[in-house]
Amino acid sequence: MNIDKITQPFTEIFPGDLSGNTIQRNTPKVLFSTVEPVGFENPETIIFNEKLSEEIGLGKFNENDIQFLAATNLPKNIKTYATAYAGHQFGNWAGQLGDGRAIHAGEITNESGQKNEIQWKGAGATPYSRHADGRAVLRSSVREYLMSEAMYHLGVPTTRALSLSLTGENVIRDMMYSGNPQEEKGAVVVRTAESFLRFGHFELLSAQKEINTLTKLVDFTIRNYFKNITSEGEQKYKDLFSEVCTRTADLMVEWFRVGFVHGVMNTDNMSILGLTIDYGPFSMMDEYDLNFTPNTTDLPGRRYAFGKQGQISQWNLWQLANALFSLIKDENFLEETLNRYGNYFWEAHDKMLCRKFGFDELRKEDEEFFTNWQGLMQELQLDHTLFFNLLEKLESISDIKTDFQKISYTSLDDPKIKKLEDFIQTYIQRSKTNFISKEESLDLMKKTNPKFILRNYLLFECIEEINNGKTELLQKLTKALENPYEEIFHEFSVKRPIDYNDISGCSMLSCSS
């Protein structure tokens, strides 16, 4: 790989702590600290994303690159660092946070001039590790590698994964915070994104009243990642905030489209570019449930439940607005922009649902239709993905009770079947008012509704296999996630098996997952 092309422009522009000291502490007035990865004696690469490597300008993999992928014996041009940020966690101000398990290698530019940041997750402690060791376990690393790539191929804005490597050492973790820590295999993921800047970076500088550095960071963000913004002065900061709001709303709509639940939408986990970032206790939704959260830490309040992700993203944007107020200085603009956010989100959300149902356009009566659909899905506990796959086959459905029972997580008695039949008749009548043909409607559905989603139970099985030295399922899942709108493996197009209902890691996870 072209490792020699990696540079560190961020550290040349912004103030940093250059001591290399990894003792966990506050680092006021700086945006990064230099750190050295811990280094591993016997790393082993499990999977490498060669397409992505070539796309971002790193090129092909050779055996000598194993050391780099495990952040070991790095060349002199790689000057590693971790960034500082702050954030609101579960609605409460948490103060300084930062890259606790992530260490930046720097930035690479491909032949088209596209820049991407590269970082390791799990390569050792930083000043921001908060009494942790900065390492990662195989379990969480497999989940992040596969899910970030699955989201990319689904068409959802996301960070991406370049490689997954075993470190050759064991790490002690208490998976469910139950007082039962156990040894697990350690691993490192190399992940990439145009930028890993979060709302929290801006919150940190605002809270510290480092307005000059905040201004420099915002200007840097616009110059590098929002090149469509050409205004000057205070207006460019307004334009930036408006664009961040739009990207964030669009991201939330995409999460709703594919049934993704992030699980921990703290402001430090919100990308300024509108990317899905930090895959922890996430889940693709099996049975449709607006109140579903995969995160045990989020119980019982369910702040980050599936159905709340739109309003939580708006709340997080309010915190970003507070952080940028010293630059924008227009309370009315910020309030009006954030008030419009809800209208924009819900209109985009309902237009997305129209595409899922194969409707040509959003109509006034569709709001009631969608509300009834949500109630039906929850009462009948229907599988979110499989429901739309079955709806595409509506004309060939021979027995509604039998076919829909296969995608329900409860028993469908006659009253429930009657409700389902009534809904389907309503759907058929609505579809007849389309100004597009049946073929065009079906094509719209097929492009919008995935055939394959990376369910937690599949990830659980894959992790178990890799722990036992096997990678067959890893390869199959990789092929399936790269083609999510096709049914390549029929065995993946089924609801979650009942045997996995109460297994940790298959439905509920903790923040350490």
Side-chain angles (χ1 to χ4, degrees):
M1 295 189 295
N2 302 317
I3 301 170
D4 58 320
K5 293 184 178 180
I6 297 174
T7 60
Q8 294 80 30
F10 191 86
T11 64
E12 297 172 1
I13 297 173
F14 297 105
D17 178 346
L18 307 181
S19 68
N21 185 352
T22 59
I23 291 178
Q24 284 114 58
R25 64 196 188 280
N26 284 330
T27 57
K29 301 182 182 296
V30 304
L31 265 178
F32 72 91
S33 295
T34 56
V35 294
E36 290 290 334
V38 65
F40 303 104
E41 291 184 6
N42 299 299
E44 176 189 351
T45 299
I46 300 173
I47 189 168
F48 177 75
N49 193 337
E50 189 164 303
K51 289 181 182 178
L52 175 60
S53 183
E54 294 192 18
E55 177 184 318
I56 66 175
L58 275 176
K60 294 186 179 297
F61 171 80
N62 64 62
E63 290 300 317
N64 295 329
D65 294 326
I66 293 176
Q67 297 287 308
F68 171 77
L69 298 179
T72 300
N73 297 325
L74 299 175
K76 291 183 178 180
N77 68 295
I78 306 294
K79 298 177 174 61
T80 50
Y81 62 97
T83 66
Y85 49 79
H88 286 80
Q89 299 191 325
F90 296 93
N92 300 306
W93 177 245
Q96 178 189 285
L97 301 166
D99 293 319
R101 281 193 294 175
I103 296 177
H104 293 250
E107 180 182 277
I108 190 163
T109 305
N110 65 14
E111 293 180 357
S112 301
Q114 178 68 40
K115 299 177 181 179
N116 277 278
E117 293 181 4
I118 300 170
Q119 65 176 213
W120 299 277
K121 186 172 182 179
T126 78
Y128 315 112
S129 296
R130 291 190 295 167
H131 309 293
D133 57 15
R135 289 163 165 81
V137 295
L138 176 65
R139 166 173 44 86
S140 62
S141 302
V142 170
R143 286 173 55 79
E144 172 142 9
Y145 181 95
L146 288 176
M147 195 66 216
S148 59
E149 284 303 293
M151 292 286 272
Y152 170 77
H153 290 286
L154 283 166
V156 182
T158 180
T159 60
R160 297 194 63 187
L162 181 67
S163 67
L164 169 65
S165 302
L166 288 168
T167 63
E169 66 173 26
N170 288 335
V171 179
I172 297 176
R173 288 290 183 272
D174 186 351
M175 178 180 174
M176 301 303 293
Y177 300 141
S178 60
N180 185 33
Q182 296 181 359
E183 280 195 346
E184 299 185 49
K185 291 181 179 180
V188 173
V189 170
V190 179
R191 56 187 187 178
T192 73
E194 186 178 6
S195 174
F196 287 94
L197 283 173
R198 309 147 184 267
F199 289 11
H201 285 100
F202 303 88
E203 286 188 281
L204 175 69
L205 296 174
S206 176
Q208 294 181 345
K209 303 189 185 312
E210 293 293 323
I211 306 305
N212 288 337
T213 305
L214 174 63
T215 304
K216 184 184 291 188
L217 179 62
V218 175
D219 288 343
F220 171 86
T221 302
I222 294 172
R223 185 171 64 251
N224 285 279
Y225 312 118
F226 293 85
K227 295 183 179 180
N228 59 309
I229 296 177
T230 57
S231 50
E232 296 293 337
E234 184 180 302
Q235 186 59 45
K236 70 177 178 181
Y237 303 133
K238 291 181 176 180
D239 291 343
L240 171 67
F241 185 71
S242 296
E243 179 73 14
V244 172
C245 286
T246 299
R247 291 194 188 191
T248 302
D250 290 342
L251 177 66
M252 295 302 107
V253 170
E254 287 298 292
W255 287 3
F256 275 87
R257 177 176 68 86
V258 300
F260 175 78
V261 194
H262 187 280
V264 58
M265 286 177 63
N266 297 327
T267 59
D268 55 290
N269 291 336
M270 297 293 293
S271 161
I272 201 70
L273 302 187
L275 306 176
T276 312
I277 193 170
D278 279 0
Y279 291 88
F282 66 81
S283 180
M284 298 301 287
M285 192 162 55
D286 294 319
E287 59 265 51
Y288 186 89
D289 183 2
L290 292 171
N291 205 35
F292 171 64
T293 177
N295 185 0
T296 56
T297 314
D298 197 27
L299 300 174
R302 298 179 184 268
R303 175 181 176 85
Y304 299 140
F306 174 68
K308 295 180 181 177
Q309 292 180 133
Q311 70 186 69
I312 289 297
S313 63
Q314 185 182 38
W315 190 93
N316 289 341
L317 285 163
W318 274 104
Q319 312 318 309
L320 180 63
N322 290 332
L324 298 178
F325 183 74
S326 61
L327 279 66
I328 294 175
K329 301 175 183 176
D330 188 337
E331 185 176 344
N332 289 334
F333 163 78
L334 291 170
E335 187 170 339
E336 290 171 2
T337 303
L338 287 162
N339 286 338
R340 286 197 303 270
Y341 178 86
N343 293 332
Y344 176 87
F345 166 77
W346 283 114
E347 183 176 358
H349 173 273
D350 288 352
K351 286 181 178 178
M352 173 273 294
L353 282 181
C354 280
R355 295 191 296 274
K356 288 184 77 68
F357 279 100
F359 298 159
D360 56 342
E361 62 182 7
L362 179 62
R363 302 178 188 175
K364 187 175 181 180
E365 62 269 22
D366 290 336
E367 183 176 343
E368 181 180 359
F369 175 85
F370 294 147
T371 300
N372 292 337
W373 166 73
Q374 289 177 328
L376 181 79
M377 292 290 289
Q378 296 212 175
E379 182 181 354
L380 275 57
Q381 296 181 34
L382 299 175
D383 189 282
H384 178 248
T385 300
L386 298 179
F387 171 82
F388 287 101
N389 294 168
L390 193 55
L391 207 61
E392 292 174 10
K393 305 173 184 176
L394 189 57
E395 292 186 3
S396 64
I397 292 176
S398 57
D399 185 335
I400 286 179
K401 183 171 185 177
T402 300
D403 291 332
F404 279 88
Q405 184 63 71
K406 292 177 182 178
I407 67 166
S408 173
Y409 293 86
T410 189
S411 177
L412 299 183
D413 55 21
D414 289 341
K416 289 178 180 177
I417 290 298
K418 178 64 167 60
K419 289 182 180 180
L420 180 60
E421 289 174 340
D422 290 345
F423 174 80
I424 289 177
Q425 286 302 316
T426 302
Y427 169 65
I428 291 173
Q429 293 303 313
R430 168 62 179 87
S431 298
K432 287 180 179 179
T433 67
N434 277 343
F435 293 114
I436 57 177
S437 67
K438 286 185 178 180
E439 291 75 16
E440 290 172 313
S441 174
L442 184 59
D443 185 60
L444 188 60
M445 295 177 74
K446 289 181 176 180
K447 290 178 179 177
T448 308
N449 301 314
K451 296 293 187 297
F452 172 82
I453 58 169
L454 192 58
R455 300 175 188 267
N456 270 342
Y457 87 88
L458 292 173
L459 283 164
F460 178 84
E461 290 182 347
C462 183
I463 292 163
E464 290 291 293
E465 282 203 6
I466 295 174
N467 265 314
N468 292 321
K470 302 176 182 178
T471 60
E472 288 82 3
L473 182 54
L474 174 64
Q475 302 302 324
K476 285 184 70 174
L477 290 177
T478 299
K479 184 174 181 180
L481 67 84
E482 288 177 348
N483 303 275
Y485 297 96
E486 302 174 35
E487 188 178 298
I488 295 179
F489 300 106
H490 177 70
E491 64 267 33
F492 294 157
S493 297
V494 296
K495 66 182 180 183
R496 181 188 67 245
I498 192 172
D499 293 347
Y500 290 100
N501 285 356
D502 299 316
I503 295 180
S504 298
C506 294
S507 56
M508 296 298 294
L509 302 106
S510 73
C511 284
S512 71
S513 301

